[in-house]
Amino acid sequence: MYCPISQVSTAGPAHWKPKARLTLKWYATLTPVKPDDRGPLDEYDRRVLSHQLRDDEHQRSIVQILQDLHDMLADYHAPAVVRPSIDSLRPRKESFFRSLFHQQPPKRKETQIPVNLPQGLYMYGDVGSGKTMLMDMFYDTLPRNVASKARIHFHNFMQDVHRRLHTVKKQHGTDLDAISFVAADLAEHSSVLCFDEFQCTDVADAMILRSLLEALMTHGVVLVTTSNRHPDDLYKNGIQRSSFIPCINLLKTRLRVINLDSTIDYRKIPRPPSGVYHHPLDKAATSHSNKWFQFLGDPDLDPPHTATHQVWGRNIEVPKASGRAAMFTFYELIGRATGAADYLELMRSYDAFIITDVPGMTHRERDWARRFITFIDAVYESRAKLVLTTAVPLYQLFMSTSEIDEALAQGREKGSLEHADEDERVDDVMRQMMDDLGLNMKMLKNSSLFSGDEERFAFSRALSRLSEMGSQEWVERGLGMEHRGGMSEKVGWQKVRSRWREDSL
């Protein structure tokens, strides 16, 4: 059923309506808040038992991800929405003295995404992959403490946003940040916002999407969306697509990207639907690492066990191993005195590594950072698989946002980096670093945190290598995925990797 947003379901009385600041209608799917505590997994089991669905391992793993988010939402209370004043959204005027000394006016203070905001979901897949059913299951079983929720087709949502922006600018002029004003209005209506068929085909949408979605998140809105495309494929060949890249990066960083299309290996075991890297260290992190360990290991023929290896008379303890996969916490692997020789011995024994609870490392944890980079290099050079659960996004592993901000400022003072654009964010620069070794070096050369160019190069190279090892091509290579050739592909890769490893390790 579709009706105006003024009737979007809440935990309060049925007659609840939003404040009449903007009376434009937002057509959203409504479902009454359920009085029970059943979650998506319970609903999936019910449908399987009633023969409405056939139990499918891949689909069940996706429903488990929905359940993880459901459980996090049960403990989450969205912050009260703080509406910005109109004056605060206008650009700051340049003072006479600033213009006299050619100084830039101070930027408006940026709002931050709450640290306790549950990571939303971006589910993509072809027609027939079950997107609508999965969204139904999630939306209809949202926990009772979710005060307000809305579900809407993304095209309808963007049409309404543009109408709201037009109204605000008509009332208050065009020289203000209308997106922040509209985002606050939307956030008041929905603490969980679900989009069907997320896509971007219009340049007007592309130019505002990043700012809009980020503004919603700063107000504590949890986003869940379905799409036909991976974020990297959104707005392909669109006008000014480079301006849309920050939105793609935001989606990949702040939402958990889930592939609904089932891909299986030669054992007929479906590949986990999410990527190999997961942050933050929330309730979903444990299931993420366990699913990848089960897939990359061989729990049927080689149940999980501890293992011991020797290097120069010293023991290397592996707390959890199965087949050719090894699993450590960060502190079990990096927190103790290990080095390159230990990592090379592990590479000879295992093809995949699952490392959990990886913290962000600032200048206070430089020894850990150097050790971890040595391990990353060993994994990369042995062409092994790497699965991580991290406290922060990958681009913040070795330098915090404040440290990068400081390095940026120093670089601009020296003239080695371009001055910031008006809308530039530190996060954008950090995300670019994942894929740009040259930018890494330029950035790190302006930081006093590193001793010498060799160390700077090691840190920057680690980011680029992590980016490459997270790609689908890297992850699936040699696993015997059916769409890549099955068992024959696995055997062929093992021969190539074996010869290569004999020469290099």
Side-chain angles (χ1 to χ4, degrees):
M1 178 174 68
Y2 288 87
C3 62
I5 192 174
S6 60
Q7 300 170 28
V8 169
S9 61
T10 72
H15 62 271
W16 176 89
K17 291 184 179 180
K19 299 176 183 178
R21 287 188 185 86
L22 295 173
T23 57
L24 297 170
K25 293 182 179 180
W26 179 9
Y27 290 89
T29 299
L30 308 182
T31 304
V33 175
K34 300 292 184 182
D36 54 61
D37 292 321
R38 67 188 176 91
L41 207 51
D42 295 320
E43 176 61 19
Y44 185 77
D45 287 337
R46 185 191 69 80
R47 296 189 188 190
V48 169
L49 289 172
S50 63
H51 304 292
Q52 297 177 53
L53 291 175
R54 178 176 59 83
D55 200 353
D56 177 83
E57 187 177 349
H58 176 72
Q59 201 166 66
R60 181 174 286 278
S61 68
I62 295 168
V63 176
Q64 180 62 59
I65 292 171
L66 299 178
Q67 183 68 44
D68 290 339
L69 179 54
H70 175 280
D71 293 343
M72 286 185 278
L73 287 171
D75 298 326
Y76 174 69
H77 298 278
V81 175
V82 179
R83 296 186 61 88
S85 66
I86 292 297
D87 287 341
S88 71
L89 298 177
R90 298 191 188 280
R92 295 191 179 185
K93 294 182 179 179
E94 186 176 1
S95 69
F96 170 75
F97 289 104
R98 285 188 178 276
S99 62
L100 186 64
F101 293 101
H102 305 288
Q103 294 180 341
Q104 294 288 331
K107 286 188 176 182
R108 189 171 67 247
K109 186 177 179 180
E110 292 180 15
T111 53
Q112 299 294 321
I113 296 174
V115 294
N116 68 330
L117 179 70
Q119 188 178 35
L121 299 175
Y122 182 104
M123 300 181 286
Y124 74 98
D126 292 334
V127 175
S129 59
K131 296 190 290 290
T132 301
M133 181 200 70
L134 290 165
M135 183 67 90
D136 288 343
M137 224 175 270
F138 174 76
Y139 187 81
D140 292 345
T141 62
L142 278 168
R144 287 179 292 176
N145 63 295
V146 174
S148 58
K149 60 180 183 176
R151 179 179 177 183
I152 184 171
H153 193 282
F154 189 71
H155 177 70
N156 294 342
F157 171 75
M158 289 308 300
Q159 282 188 322
D160 182 66
V161 166
H162 285 296
R163 284 194 293 267
R164 290 171 182 260
L165 291 172
H166 176 73
T167 300
V168 172
K169 291 180 179 180
K170 186 176 180 180
Q171 292 176 353
H172 302 288
T174 59
D175 64 335
L176 81 161
D177 179 9
I179 293 176
S180 294
F181 188 86
V182 169
D185 194 67
L186 298 174
E188 282 188 333
H189 304 154
S190 306
S191 59
V192 177
L193 184 52
C194 299
F195 298 131
D196 288 298
E197 303 298 337
F198 188 104
Q199 59 180 328
C200 183
T201 57
D202 185 86
V203 65
D205 292 350
M207 294 303 102
I208 67 169
L209 254 179
R210 178 276 181 80
S211 297
L212 176 64
L213 297 180
E214 190 168 52
L216 288 169
M217 292 180 197
T218 62
H219 290 297
V221 177
V222 178
L223 302 177
V224 177
T225 184
T226 65
S227 179
N228 292 328
R229 300 170 179 267
H230 187 280
D232 286 334
D233 295 328
L234 291 169
Y235 198 53
K236 271 209 165 175
N237 304 316
I239 299 172
Q240 299 181 41
R241 188 174 189 269
S242 60
S243 300
F244 186 69
I245 298 301
C247 179
I248 292 174
N249 289 329
L250 179 72
L251 292 171
K252 293 196 297 183
T253 303
R254 291 293 179 175
L255 303 184
R256 189 176 181 185
V257 179
I258 307 299
N259 184 359
L260 302 183
D261 298 324
S262 178
T263 55
I264 59 175
D265 67 5
Y266 67 98
R267 302 168 295 178
K268 306 300 182 185
I269 297 177
R271 204 200 94 160
S274 59
V276 288
Y277 305 140
H278 176 90
H279 88 279
L281 299 177
D282 53 19
K283 291 182 179 179
T286 301
S287 61
H288 172 86
S289 55
N290 287 338
K291 285 183 184 301
W292 275 105
F293 179 69
Q294 291 170 8
F295 179 70
L296 294 170
D298 195 356
D300 292 335
L301 298 179
D302 186 21
H305 58 276
T306 60
T308 302
H309 303 272
Q310 280 202 335
V311 176
W312 297 344
R314 293 185 296 104
N315 287 342
I316 308 173
E317 304 293 338
V318 179
K320 196 173 181 180
S322 172
R324 299 283 295 177
M327 188 171 180
F328 300 82
T329 68
F330 178 86
Y331 301 99
E332 289 168 340
L333 180 67
I334 305 299
R336 58 190 183 185
T338 52
D342 304 285
Y343 306 145
L344 291 177
E345 178 59 32
L346 290 174
M347 298 308 131
R348 293 187 179 96
S349 303
Y350 302 100
D351 299 332
F353 298 88
I354 296 88
I355 313 299
T356 66
D357 304 315
V358 180
M361 290 159 272
T362 64
H363 65 280
R364 292 183 294 275
E365 296 88 20
R366 272 296 164 255
D367 287 341
W368 281 357
R370 294 187 185 100
R371 215 172 288 161
F372 190 47
I373 286 172
T374 301
F375 173 74
I376 290 170
D377 288 341
V379 173
Y380 180 87
E381 289 163 5
S382 72
R383 300 300 189 266
K385 315 299 181 191
L386 181 63
V387 177
L388 301 175
T389 64
T390 62
V392 297
L394 292 185
Y395 57 81
Q396 293 178 11
L397 274 182
F398 305 121
M399 292 181 74
S400 67
T401 302
S402 59
E403 289 172 337
I404 276 290
D405 207 4
E406 180 182 347
L408 278 170
Q410 292 173 358
R412 285 166 185 143
E413 286 178 6
K414 296 175 183 177
S416 57
L417 290 174
E418 295 180 1
H419 283 278
D421 295 330
E422 184 63 28
D423 295 325
E424 184 187 61
R425 307 285 200 281
V426 173
D427 276 2
D428 288 340
V429 177
M430 295 291 280
R431 290 173 187 130
Q432 290 178 49
M433 287 177 69
M434 291 295 297
D435 299 311
D436 190 339
L437 190 61
L439 180 59
N440 290 348
M441 288 301 294
K442 289 178 69 176
M443 185 74 63
L444 299 178
K445 280 183 178 179
N446 294 294
S447 171
S448 58
L449 300 171
F450 304 97
S451 56
D453 284 345
E454 185 174 342
E455 184 175 272
R456 291 187 179 96
F457 181 76
F459 276 72
S460 62
R461 184 180 60 192
L463 286 177
S464 296
R465 287 183 165 183
L466 282 172
S467 180
E468 185 178 352
M469 288 191 289
S471 67
Q472 182 178 354
E473 172 65 27
W474 185 286
V475 172
E476 292 189 348
R477 184 174 55 199
L479 291 181
M481 305 303 292
E482 278 204 340
H483 66 283
R484 292 177 178 268
M487 187 61 180
S488 61
E489 187 267 348
K490 179 180 176 67
V491 172
W493 170 247
Q494 285 178 335
K495 291 179 180 177
V496 171
R497 186 166 180 260
S498 178
R499 289 195 298 269
W500 177 89
R501 190 162 50 181
E502 288 175 3
D503 295 335
S504 61
L505 292 183

